[in-house]
Amino acid sequence: MPIHNRDKFLSNLAANLGRPRKIEGVERPEYSVQPQYEVLQGASQDELIDVLEKHCEVIHTDFVRTSKQELPNVVRQTIDRYEAKSIIVSNDKRNVEYGMDQAYNQYAEELDMHIWDASIGKENQVIAEKADVGISFSDITLAESGTVTLKNDKNNGRSISLMPKSYIAIIPKETIVPRMTQAAKQIHDDHVNGIETPSSVCFVTGPSNSADIEMNLIVGVHGPVNVTYIVVD
Amino acid sequence: MSVKIGDVSYKDRIDKGIENDFMRQAVSSAQGRFRKGRLSQAEELGNWEDWRQLGSEIRTHTLENIDYYLYQLSEQVEKRGGNVFFAQTAEEANEYIENVVKKKQAKKVVKTKSMVTEEIGLNEALEKSGAEVVESDLGEWILQLDEDPPSHIVTPALHKNRQQIRETFADKRGYDKTDSPEELAAFAREQLRHDFLTADVGITGCNFAIAESGAITLVTNEGNAEMVTSLPDTQITVMGMERLVPTWEDMEVLVSLLTRAAVGQKLTSYITAYTGTRLEEEIDGPNDYHLVIVDNGRSKILGTEFQSALHCIRCAACINVCPVYRHVGGHAYNSIYPGPIGAVLTPLLDGYDDHKELPYASSLCAACTEACPVKIPLHEQLIRHREIIVEEEKKSPVSEKIMMKGFAQWASNPAAYKLSTKVARTALKPWTKDEFVENGPGPLKGWTDVRDFPAPGKQSFRAWWNERAKGEKQNANS
Ligand code: SF4
């Protein structure tokens, strides 16, 4: 049985609250204030990109803005800047749409390229662990905090953004929203409309860091040491 | 381990804290840095009070309907392939987790920093049953190597300097490089990578469980929670029963309050929401998932005047403004929950017998209450504790009884609350010389006879705060 001790546990809570147990019929109240929707309200997409760019300085993340045509070159330049030899990328439909499928073929002539492949199982993790760079698309991008939202699935493993030494996020311009409010609303609405929540949603804001040693900021404690965002118009 | 860290008396712990110059300095600079971060974030938002109001409304609604939302959560987790265990006590929780670990014949467990697993003493239980437990948060890993308890909610190893950390790494793991934080961290990364990849079971705490969809949200900067939830095939989440929100939208608001109030960040580097087991053909994430929901004394707080203490989102903002914490450090509280919230929560969870000094570990300046992002009236609850100790438990010496009568009178009068700082100042007057309390009464004496601590000011707290914030801004600009 997958649920243990529930009835006794919950009855005790209800008793302490001095009422019978509630199993249905609870509605979220209209909260008296909703400040979260006021942040960057009415900002244009270009203004949001400016906010994102500015916040990248705070979160130790490199920011590049480019066109669809230039994207393969810009990604390649970033890889070279990291002096990377091995790359792991998501098997994303958008690879074709953004011309990255051809680019990856081309890079493969000189670099060790791996496209996430569900059929080889855990081997993907081993490859990710050794890779110099991981590359994937942002699903929702939060301007205010400089965050990429990664909805992981079988073609886009969590390891890609996490295990390699450097991470590159490709950010389609239209994925940019003011803040986490809009991302949470989208996932909430999806759930209400019967679309399953992904098994993992990661909000990644720059490189992994820690302030645990004398409060010095150290970058790359567990996850990537370098992060670049590439916004594509 | 339990809520209580050890059997050393409060007096000895306080003396030890106060003698440790490095710790004192580290604590006060951390307080300054965190507090400044929080203030600048609050100022930038402009409508911080609205945010706090919203946070407080969400927490109130959730706790008032906690049985409903826990039911919904457990249904959703089951739907997504997970098991849910409701544990009334620490022992029940540990036993269930030990069984999962044993069934897997697991040799190695990797963990993220989690207060509730500290509270129930999970590591000891697992080690007794033969599994190696590795804490993956850098600060927590350092403490684990050194067998030391954490002293701060956000930065657990705050009391250690880099030379001490270097020595620990050298003694325990043969480290031979310098004490530069970068080199130390790189070494930890390398050591822990190996552990992540070879662990059989991953265990995390929970910042917010989302009842609507069954997702568990973890907030970290290091990304260790992502490692722990991505790599091992068996995954266990341990959550205090109150760490729950109705929907994704509520989670978002509380996470924003948490990261701002804790460290002044808009968001931390990693916020992960994972739901049940991995889906078909997915590779990362567990194929065996367990959620353990822990009561361990919390339900006793429901329906009482202390219910709002369960609203706490563990941001440590109250700790970072507390003048008493500044002087004595986290270990002095003899509880895994330090600072003002610890002084409120520890006696509720673990009884007054061992902790009757804690409610006196406050200057009642109300800085904690003003800082709390979900508006828990911390200093009022501390006063209420004192009243109970005096009136019902008859546990305090005569001097406080006299003092408490005064508190009881004004604390029962709502208008008097508004004047709290003024009243506290009056109540402490007999012991106040200039602006410092030199020799506090009774147990308060334990906190003050070694070092002076500031008496509640003549100004209202808000006025004082604004002035101080102005000063800080001027300093920052100059
Ligand atoms: S009591 Fe309030 S300020 Fe203190 S840790 Fe909890 S939420 Fe933060």
Side-chain angles (χ1 to χ4, degrees), chain A residues 32 179 188 199 208 223, chain B residues 57 65 189 212 222 252 282:
Chain A
S32 70
R179 70 184 310 282
H188 169 80
S199 64
S208 152
Chain B
E57 286 178 26
N65 297 287
R189 175 184 170 111
E212 167 190 68
E222 296 183 4
E252 183 277 307
E282 284 185 345

Side-chain angles (χ1 to χ4, degrees), chain A residues 169-190:
Chain A
I170 303 174
I171 300 177
K173 183 179 174 180
E174 64 277 8
T175 64
I176 303 177
V177 298
R179 70 184 310 282
M180 198 178 178
T181 305
Q182 288 74 20
K185 180 160 176 17
Q186 195 193 98
I187 296 165
H188 169 80
D189 290 348
D190 279 354

Side-chain angles (χ1 to χ4, degrees), chain A residues 28 31 188, chain B residues 69 72 209-213 245-252:
Chain A
R28 268 166 81 221
Y31 299 122
H188 169 80
Chain B
Y69 286 119
Q72 198 185 24
I210 304 172
E212 167 190 68
S213 70
V245 289
T247 70
W248 270 80
E249 293 181 287
D250 304 298
M251 177 279 277
E252 183 277 307

Side-chain angles (χ1 to χ4, degrees), chain A residues 2 6 16 19 22 32 125 129 144 158-159 179 188 197 199 201-203 205 208 212 214 222-223, chain B residues 57 64-65 67 74 80 84 136 139 162 189 193 212 222 226 252 260 269 271 273 275 282 284 299:
Chain A
R6 181 167 67 185
N16 288 348
R19 55 163 176 73
K22 290 183 187 171
S32 70
Q125 285 176 345
E129 211 283 314
E144 181 202 30
R158 310 178 196 183
S159 303
R179 70 184 310 282
H188 169 80
T197 309
S199 64
V201 180
C202 299
F203 299 90
T205 305
S208 152
D212 269 337
E214 292 189 2
H222 293 300
Chain B
E57 286 178 26
E64 274 168 8
N65 297 287
D67 51 335
S74 61
R80 295 295 296 261
V84 185
S136 61
R162 60 172 90 176
R189 175 184 170 111
R193 273 284 164 119
E212 167 190 68
E222 296 183 4
E226 296 222 310
E252 183 277 307
R260 283 182 157 92
S269 298
I271 293 159
T275 308
E282 284 185 345
D284 297 328
S299 59

